[in-house]
Amino acid sequence: QVQLVESGGGLVQPGGSLRLSCAASVNSFRISSMGWYRQAPGKGREVVATITSGGSTNYVDSVKGRFTISRDNAKTTMFLQMNSLKPEDTAVYYCNALVDLTKLYWGQGTQVTVSS
């Protein structure tokens, strides 16, 4: 069973920064892509950023220039560096991983609150 463990959420003031981590309990060669999603209160889940096994990245327009997705050298831990945070970034952030090309796994979610 693949597990994704997230960490790094919390409360931050507008303009501040947070770094989220997502550790996968699976060999990196089985991971096709990983991504960060978020769900704000009363809204649907939306993609924030994705990274492929080859290192290609994509971002939703609202976070471009502020968020950076990356992985460690072992390619089993993914990060989301979030800078210049805004109140509208407040949400539960989830990571996911596509494993063996067909199986999608999700983390438990971590709360990010941007408020003064």
Side-chain angles (χ1 to χ4, degrees), residues 44-56:
R45 192 173 296 189
E46 67 167 352
V47 60
V48 176
T50 60
I51 186 166
T52 68
S53 57
S56 297

Side-chain angles (χ1 to χ4, degrees), residues 9-13 18 111-116:
L11 173 64
V12 64
Q13 293 186 341
L18 282 175
Q111 177 69 47
V112 172
T113 302
V114 185
S115 175
S116 55

Side-chain angles (χ1 to χ4, degrees):
Q1 180 70 16
V2 174
Q3 290 188 321
L4 301 179
V5 180
E6 300 158 358
S7 60
L11 173 64
V12 64
Q13 293 186 341
S17 298
L18 282 175
R19 189 189 197 210
L20 306 183
S21 299
C22 173
S25 64
V26 64
N27 287 329
S28 62
F29 68 86
R30 295 177 59 192
I31 300 175
S32 305
S33 64
M34 299 183 75
W36 288 100
Y37 289 67
R38 65 186 179 187
Q39 187 165 15
K43 296 187 177 181
R45 192 173 296 189
E46 67 167 352
V47 60
V48 176
T50 60
I51 186 166
T52 68
S53 57
S56 297
T57 59
N58 278 291
Y59 299 89
V60 66
D61 285 346
S62 60
V63 308
K64 285 180 180 177
R66 300 188 299 122
F67 291 10
T68 303
I69 190 171
S70 63
R71 297 171 302 178
D72 68 349
N73 289 336
K75 298 182 181 179
T76 56
T77 300
M78 176 179 63
F79 306 98
L80 186 68
Q81 178 66 43
M82 304 185 293
N83 299 327
S84 302
L85 282 160
K86 305 175 181 180
E88 52 263 42
D89 294 318
T90 295
V92 178
Y93 283 70
Y94 299 90
C95 67
N96 75 8
L98 182 63
V99 178
D100 298 333
L101 296 177
T102 57
K103 303 170 187 174
L104 191 63
Y105 294 91
W106 290 89
Q108 80 283 0
T110 185
Q111 177 69 47
V112 172
T113 302
V114 185
S115 175
S116 55

